[in-house]
Amino acid sequence: MVCQRIGHGGASALARANTLASFDAALDVGVDMVEFDVRAWDGELVLAHTILHARRGGNVRLQDALAHLAGRRFSDVELNVDVKHVGCERALIDHLRRATLLERTLISSQVPDVLDRVRALEPRARVGISVGGRLARWSQRWRDWRTVALAGIQGGRWDALMAQHRLIDGGLLHDVNDRGGRLYAWTVNERAGIARLQALGVHGITTADPRLFA
C-alpha cells in the first residue's frame, strides 16, 4: 500500500498556508494530495484556518483556489478540504462540481454535522472525520472518540479518520482497516515521525514540509 504524501495548507513550511504559492511549492517538491482549510467570510468561502486568519484579509477565495488546482499541472494531485464550521456545505459542493474536482476531493471536518450535511447533499462525496488533541476533542465533546469514529466508519457515516498523529497506533490502524476505512495522520513535521507512521502503514500523512518525505 502506498502512503499518500499530503501537504498541509499546500506546503506551509515553504509558503504561507492556504495560498496558491503554497500549492505550487507543494507540487514542486512532490505531493499526492494538498490539504487546505475552508470557512465562510464576508458572504463567500475563503481559505482560512481560523476566524482571525479570515479577518486578516487577503485570503484566497475557494473558487479561485479550485480553478488553480483544476489546472493540468495538478491533474494527479488529490484535495483534502478541511471545513471549519457548519454552513459551508452546499456552496462547497457546488464549487467542487463546477470545477469538476468532486471525485478528487476528500472532505474532512472535526464537526460531524458538517460531514452529515455533505453526505445528504452529495452521497458520492468522500468524507473523513478529523480528531485532534485533547482541547480539540473537548471542544467537540468527544468522550470516547475512538468508539464513535470507528462506528461511523463501520456504518458508512464517513470513509476515513483523520487523526492527530499522537493518537495513532497499530491497534487503531487495524480497527480502521477492519471496517473498510482509511487512516490519515496529521500534522507530522519530523522525519522520524513520518518514517514511523509509514512503517505502521497509515494511508496518508500530512506535513507542513513535504521535503521530509524524501
Side-chain angles (χ1 to χ4, degrees):
M1 183 195 70
V2 176
C3 177
Q4 287 188 297
R5 303 164 299 167
I6 307 169
H8 174 263
S12 57
L14 306 178
R16 184 160 68 91
N18 296 316
T19 63
L20 305 187
S22 194
F23 297 157
D24 290 342
L27 184 67
D28 288 343
V29 299
V31 294
D32 304 299
M33 178 184 283
V34 292
E35 179 270 351
F36 56 90
D37 305 304
V38 169
R39 63 170 55 249
W41 180 252
D42 200 21
E44 60 185 355
L45 298 187
V46 299
L47 274 56
H49 181 64
T50 68
I51 192 68
L52 294 177
H53 291 127
R55 287 175 178 167
R56 179 179 58 192
N59 302 289
V60 179
R61 298 187 304 167
L62 176 63
Q63 62 198 69
D64 297 330
L66 295 181
H68 189 74
L69 293 166
R72 185 176 300 174
R73 294 173 59 232
F74 288 89
S75 60
D76 294 327
V77 177
E78 296 187 13
L79 315 181
N80 172 205
V81 180
D82 187 7
V83 182
K84 309 312 288 187
H85 60 84
V86 170
C88 303
E89 301 86 4
R90 185 177 297 277
L92 171 62
I93 292 295
D94 288 346
H95 281 306
L96 288 170
R97 285 172 176 158
R98 283 196 291 269
T100 65
L101 288 172
L102 182 64
E103 292 185 357
R104 280 167 49 194
T105 300
L106 172 62
I107 299 170
S108 62
S109 181
Q110 293 192 36
V111 184
D113 284 351
V114 167
L115 305 181
D116 293 340
R117 292 182 180 211
V118 166
R119 270 282 168 77
L121 290 165
E122 178 48 82
R124 297 177 301 159
R126 291 184 294 150
V127 299
I129 188 67
S130 184
V131 179
R134 185 175 299 173
L135 181 59
R137 297 197 303 274
W138 176 84
S139 69
Q140 295 300 326
R141 299 179 181 177
W142 287 101
R143 288 190 175 89
D144 186 355
W145 67 268
R146 194 162 177 149
T147 297
V148 175
L150 291 171
I153 292 173
Q154 185 163 2
R157 188 179 181 187
W158 37 65
D159 306 295
L161 170 59
M162 333 292 288
Q164 204 271 354
H165 68 93
R166 293 183 181 88
L167 301 177
I168 294 177
D169 56 30
L172 180 62
L173 178 62
H174 173 272
D175 290 342
V176 170
N177 282 335
D178 194 51
R179 289 159 176 79
R182 297 176 68 83
L183 179 61
Y184 296 86
W186 58 266
T187 299
V188 192
N189 294 324
E190 296 179 353
R191 198 181 299 273
I194 288 175
R196 179 186 76 83
L197 289 161
Q198 285 177 322
L200 192 65
V202 299
H203 297 87
I205 300 171
T206 301
T207 181
D209 189 351
R211 295 174 300 182
L212 297 173
F213 288 115

